[in-house]
Amino acid sequence: MASSWSCLLLAGRKASIEASGEIPLCKTGFPEDVYSAVLSQNVQEGQPLLNVKFSNCNGKRKVQYESSDPEDFKVDEDGMVYAVRNFPLSSEHAKFLIYAQDKETQEKWQVAVKLSLKPTLTEDSVKESREVEEILFPRQLTKHSGHLQRQKRDWVIPPINLPENSRGPFPQELVRIRSDRDKNLSLRYSVTGPGADQPPTGIFIINPISGQLSVTKPLDREQIARFHLRAHAVDINGNQVENPIDIVINVIDMNDNRPEFLHQVWNGTVPEGSKPGTYVMTVTAIDDDDPNALNGMLRYRILSQAPSTPSPNMFTINNETGDIITVAAGLDREKVQQYTLIIQATDMEGNPTYGLSNTATAVITVTDVNDNPPEFTAMTFYGEVPENRVDVIVANLTVTDKDQPHTPAWNAVYRISGGDPTGRFAIQTDPNSNDGLVTVVKPIDFETNRMFILTVAAENQVPLAKGIQHPPQSTATVSVTVIDVNENPYFAPNPKIIRQEEGLHSGTMLTTFTAQDPDRYMQQNIRYTKLSDPANWLKIDPVNGQITTIAVLDRESPNVKNNIYNATFLASDNGIPPMSGTGTLQIYLLDINDNAPQVLPQEAETCETPDPNSINITALDYDIDPNAGPFAFDLPLSPVTIKRNWTITRLNGDFAQLNLKIKFLEAGIYEVPIIITDSGNPPKSNISILRVKVCQCDSNGDCTDVDRIVGAGLGTGAIIAILLCIIILLILVLMFVVWMKRRDKERQAKQLLIDPEDDVRDNILKYDEEGGGEEDQDYDLSQLQQPDTVEPDAIKPVGIRRLDERPIHAEPQYPVRSAAPHPGDIGDFINEGLKAADNDPTAPPYDSLLVFDYEGSGSTAGSLSSLNSSSSGGEQDYDYLNDWGPRFKKLADMYGGGDD
C-alpha cells in the first residue's frame, strides 16, 4: 500500500503512529503478537471488530483464517474479524485466538485478539469526547535502494457510537477522513453505503476536500440500529489512491419508548380451591428500545386487585416473565367468581424514577369444581300412583347445589339405593330444574303392594373434589302409595280346552267357564255374555257361567279347524267404571261315524272295449280314522245290467278298479251305482253314482270323438253362469237406452222452460209489414210464436203477400248462437250477425212504395190517434195522472198542466 489513512476526531486531537526502521528480512506470519479492540457492551451480529493482517513474503501462499471461538467470531479472507451473533461483551469473550493455515503446506500460525469494554457514554459525554483509538496496521514491504522498507500502517476506525434523537445542531461533525498522501496530491473524499448514497440517502455527508464526515439529522435506533459505510479517497482524475476503509456507526439506544402490552385486557382462569403457587396466566409487554440494554429490560408488578377478598394479595407476578400465580388459599367461586388485576410493566429494569411504564388489565375467572354436593330440600317426599299404570311421575324430588348451574358439578344424578328390589321405579333428572322425577316403569298390583318406601341418593355427574364427603342431606326417602282401581276380570285358564264327541244334542251342558276378579277388596258381581260363537251352538248362563249347547255339534262344520271349535265369552263386573275381560273356550270334537263315503271321481271315461283302459276310483269320507277307510267297494244287484256290463275289483283299502265286463259297449254316457262301505263301528254304507262316458278310442286308449266335450254335456253350474251373464248384459243395454231417452227429455224440457224475454240470443224474427186492418187481411198468427216455428215466406199462399212487400230473395244464413255460449264468443257472434245483415238484400229499409189499406171500423185494437190529437186534448181531464206516482209524472206534466 502506497500510503495509509488517518482518522481524526472533531475534538481536534490528532493521533498518528509512525513507524520507521528497516526490516532486514521478511518473516511470514502475523506481524503482531496481540491485536486489541475497544468495543461497546453489546456486540451486534455482523459487526466488524478489527482487521488482522498476515505477512505473506512471497505472495504465493493461500491462507485460510479460523477463530478459536467460531460461535462468536469469524474471519474473512481479507483478515477482517466479524461478530457471528448478538451478545453482551463479557470477560469470557475478552480474549480469543486467530489461526492462519497454509492450504497447501498446512503450515499454521496464530495470534491473540484482546477485546476491551468501552465505558457507556451519555449523550453529553459523547459530545465532549469523540476521540477514536487508532489501531495501526503494518505496511506492505517494498524494496528501496536494495533494502526492504515498510510503509506506514493503515488506520482502522473502531465503530462510532452515536446516540439517537440527538438535538443537533445539524449537520453534526463526526470524524475526519484523511490520507497522508494529500501532502503531495490533491485528493477527493467520499462515502458510500446505506445512509450515504443508498436509501435512506443523505443521512451522512462528507466534505470532499477536508474529509469531514457529518450526520444531517437525528437518528432513530428503532428504525436503523447500525450504519456500515465505506470511505474512498481518489485523486482529481478519479484514480483510487487508497483502499476503501469501513466505517461502522452504531446508534446508541435512548429510552424513548414505553412498554406496550400485547393485549390491553388479558383473560385467565384458575380453579377454585387452588393451592398457593398454582399457575394462572402470563401477560407480555414489549419495548421497542434495545432489549439488551436497560432501556428495553422490563419488569412487571401488580398495582391492584379487585375485589380484595379474602386477601388483598391473592396473586403475584414474576417481575421478569410476567407469569401470574396464586400466593394465597381461599379461592371460592361461590363467593368471588372473578378477580381484576391492574398489571404494570416498567423498563429500565423497573426503575420507578427513570423507567417508562404502562398498564394492562388481567381478568381472572375462578372456575367451578365440584366442592358442593347436592342436598335434598326435604328428608321425605310423598307420592301416589294408581295400580297397573306405567310411565307415571309419582314424586318430584328437589335439591340445591351451590356449584355453577348447568355444569357437570351441578347436574344431579339420582339413584334408588333401597326399597325397590323388583325395579319398578326409575328416577330421571329434569335438565332445566335439576329435579328428580320418580317414574313407574313396571305395573304395580295394589293387592300385592300397597306402599313403597324408597331410599334415594343424589350425586353429581362428576365426583366431588378431593377431601369433600356427601352429607346426610344427599339422601332422602320417598313414600309411594298405591291406589286401588277396578281391574279387568280374567278367565283362568284362558283358553280353556274341553273334549266332546260331535253330535251332542241341544241342551247338553258342556262345562262351567267362570272368571275371577282381581279386586279382592271390592265387593263386585260378575256376569257373563257370549261374545263370539261362529256356528251359534252354545249359550252361557250370565250368573254361574254354565255353557250349554243349543244346536248339534258337528266336527265336519267349516267353523271347526283342526277338530277344534273356538267360542269367546265376556265377563263384566259392576265396578266404577265397569271392567270386562274375555275368555276363549276351545272344544276339541271327537269324530263319530256320521258321514257315508262317496265315490271319487264322480265322472270318468273309458273305451268301448275292455282293453286297454280301466277306471280307478277311490272313496271320499269326511270322517277320520277309524271311521273312514279302508273301504269296501261293490256293485248293486239291480238293475241287472250293472253287474252284466261292469265289474269292480278292490285294489287296496282305499282304491278299486272298474272295468267293462262285456267285450263291447256302445259309446254313450252311463250312470254306474257303486256301493261303498267305511270301517266305522257300526259301518256306514252309501250308493254313489259314477258317470262314465264310453267312447271310441285310438290305439293309445284315448277318446277320438269329435264332439267329446258336447257329448259329455255341461254341468248345471256352467249353464246357470252362462244364463246369468246374458241377463246382466241385457239389463246393462236396457239401462243405457233409458238413460239416453231421459237425457233427451231433460234437454227439451230445459229449452221449453226458457222465458222468451230472458232469452238473450240474437234471433231474426220475421214480421210482415203493416197492411190493412185486421178485417181485410188474412194474417197467419203463427208468425207470432217462437222463432224456431216461423215458416219461410216461400210456403205462404199466393195472394196473401202484398204488392209493396219486400222483395223475395233467398233467406240469408244468419249465424245461430249456441244455447250456452262461452262469454268470449258473444263479440264474434254479434260481428257475424252484423255482417250477414249488411249483405241481406231483403232487410229493410228498401225502396218501395208502401200502401196502407183502410183499417176498417170496429177494430179490436182500437185507435191510437187520440194520443196526439190536439182537438180532443182539451176536452179530457188528465189530472188523475198526478195520483199515479212518479212513473207517470212525465205524462202528468204533458197533459195535466192545463194551458201550460
Side-chain angles (χ1 to χ4, degrees), residues 315-376:
F315 305 93
T316 186
I317 188 169
N318 188 309
N319 63 350
E320 293 186 2
T321 63
D323 293 342
I324 300 176
I325 60 175
T326 60
V327 293
L331 290 174
D332 190 351
R333 190 204 65 85
E334 287 71 36
K335 296 180 180 179
V336 179
Q337 299 182 2
Q338 192 177 82
Y339 289 91
T340 302
L341 308 180
I342 304 300
I343 310 298
Q344 183 186 60
T346 307
D347 58 16
M348 297 296 291
E349 290 188 330
N351 190 316
T353 303
Y354 303 104
L356 302 177
S357 302
N358 213 338
T359 59
T361 301
V363 178
I364 301 175
T365 301
V366 182
T367 58
D368 187 34
V369 298
N370 194 14
D371 57 346
N372 293 283
E375 298 181 0
F376 286 99

Side-chain angles (χ1 to χ4, degrees), residues 40 44 47-48 130 157-164 172-175 177 191-192 194-196 203-205 213-216 219 221 224-230 246-252:
S40 60
Q44 305 294 327
Q47 176 181 340
R130 295 187 179 272
I157 302 178
I160 301 172
N161 295 321
L162 184 63
E164 65 174 334
Q172 179 178 337
E173 297 178 352
L174 299 179
V175 294
I177 308 297
V191 290
T192 60
I203 296 178
F204 300 98
I205 59 175
L213 181 63
S214 304
V215 61
T216 61
L219 303 180
R221 192 205 65 84
I224 301 177
R226 184 181 61 185
F227 294 90
H228 190 179
L229 305 179
R230 304 203 79 179
D246 294 324
I247 301 176
V248 177
I249 301 174
N250 291 328
V251 182
I252 300 176

Side-chain angles (χ1 to χ4, degrees), residues 1-3 21-24 26 56-57 138-152:
M1 185 179 291
S3 62
E22 297 181 355
I23 302 177
C26 177
N56 189 356
C57 295
R139 295 179 296 177
Q140 292 184 356
L141 298 178
T142 59
K143 288 186 179 182
H144 182 69
S145 302
H147 300 279
L148 290 176
Q149 187 175 4
R150 187 174 59 185
Q151 295 180 346
K152 292 184 178 180

Side-chain angles (χ1 to χ4, degrees), residues 808-867:
I808 299 176
H809 297 279
E811 292 292 336
Q813 296 298 322
Y814 287 92
V816 179
R817 183 183 175 199
S818 61
H822 190 276
D825 299 335
I826 295 177
D828 296 338
F829 179 78
I830 294 175
N831 292 331
E832 293 176 2
L834 178 62
K835 186 183 296 184
D838 291 341
N839 298 326
D840 185 7
T842 64
Y846 41 83
D847 296 334
S848 64
L849 178 62
L850 299 180
V851 179
F852 297 94
D853 294 342
Y854 175 70
E855 293 183 356
S857 61
S859 174
T860 58
S863 177
L864 302 176
S865 61
S866 60
L867 294 177

Side-chain angles (χ1 to χ4, degrees), residues 695-712:
C695 59
Q696 296 178 1
C697 298
D698 55 15
S699 59
N700 296 325
D702 297 328
C703 288
T704 58
D705 295 354
V706 177
D707 53 349
R708 176 180 177 182
I709 299 177
V710 177

Side-chain angles (χ1 to χ4, degrees), residues 164-228:
E164 65 174 334
N165 303 324
S166 177
R167 298 181 181 178
F170 296 101
Q172 179 178 337
E173 297 178 352
L174 299 179
V175 294
R176 180 181 300 163
I177 308 297
R178 188 180 67 82
S179 173
D180 56 3
R181 299 192 61 179
D182 60 357
K183 298 177 181 179
N184 303 323
L185 298 174
S186 177
L187 302 182
R188 297 294 182 266
Y189 302 97
S190 63
V191 290
T192 60
D197 63 340
Q198 298 177 19
T201 60
I203 296 178
F204 300 98
I205 59 175
I206 189 171
N207 189 311
I209 304 299
S210 63
Q212 187 71 46
L213 181 63
S214 304
V215 61
T216 61
K217 60 181 180 180
L219 303 180
D220 188 357
R221 192 205 65 84
E222 286 69 42
Q223 293 183 358
I224 301 177
R226 184 181 61 185
F227 294 90
H228 190 179

Side-chain angles (χ1 to χ4, degrees), residues 31 89 124 231 266 505 510 729 756:
L89 187 61
D124 296 336
W266 297 79
H505 297 290
L510 298 179
L729 181 61

Side-chain angles (χ1 to χ4, degrees), residues 472-515:
Q473 292 80 4
S474 296
T475 304
T477 59
V478 182
S479 177
V480 181
T481 302
V482 182
I483 302 175
D484 189 17
V485 297
N486 189 20
E487 299 178 77
N488 298 322
Y490 63 94
F491 289 87
N494 190 14
K496 183 176 183 179
I497 302 176
I498 61 174
R499 299 170 66 90
Q500 292 289 344
E501 282 189 353
E502 64 173 332
L504 290 178
H505 297 290
S506 174
T508 303
M509 199 277 290
L510 298 179
T511 185
T512 300
F513 195 23
T514 58

